Amino acid sequence: MFEIIPDRKAYRRLQHLLPAHRTMLADPVRNRAFFEALRRSVTSRSRVLDVGAGTGIWAIAAARLGARRVVAIEKERLLIPLIRRLAEE
Ligand SMILES: C[S@@+](CC[C@H](N)C(=O)[O-])C[C@H]1O[C@@H](n2cnc3c(N)ncnc32)[C@H](O)[C@@H]1O
């Protein structure tokens, strides 16, 4: 994780950002609803655009559900290396 924190300011920003994403990711009702919506919609012909990807969880889910192509867009630059790493894993 350390290579994604370029400086002290970014570290403080991540201390604010990560708990917000942790809260969203820990909400089983939300997660089930989002995943079910993707499961019903995504096929091997799908091209998925995830705008406001956060940690990339739904872009990754779409890829795992077999989408042909997935693009994740996130305005918070500090989250980009995290999305990349999770997608690779
Ligand atoms: C409520 S979070 C949802 C994150 C993720 N989609 C999820 O469901 O866990 C919204 C995300 O959208 C990003 N965001 C907000 N406005 C954006 C924009 N104009 N372009 C790209 N990302 C944006 C925020 O930085 C934040 O990470």
Side-chain angles (χ1 to χ4, degrees), residues 13 17 20-21 24-25 30-31 34 50-59 73-77 79 83:
R13 175 115 191 89
L17 273 175
H21 284 280
M24 286 186 273
L25 295 176
R30 185 189 96 103
N31 293 341
F34 280 23
D50 181 359
V51 180
T55 54
I57 180 173
W58 306 119
I73 297 180
E74 172 52 53
K75 78 169 180 182
E76 178 54 71
R77 298 175 73 92
L79 292 175
I83 294 170

Side-chain angles (χ1 to χ4, degrees), residues 24-42:
M24 286 186 273
L25 295 176
D27 179 342
V29 175
R30 185 189 96 103
N31 293 341
R32 208 169 294 122
F34 280 23
F35 184 76
E36 274 307 305
L38 280 173
R39 200 179 56 74
R40 283 196 303 270
S41 316
V42 172

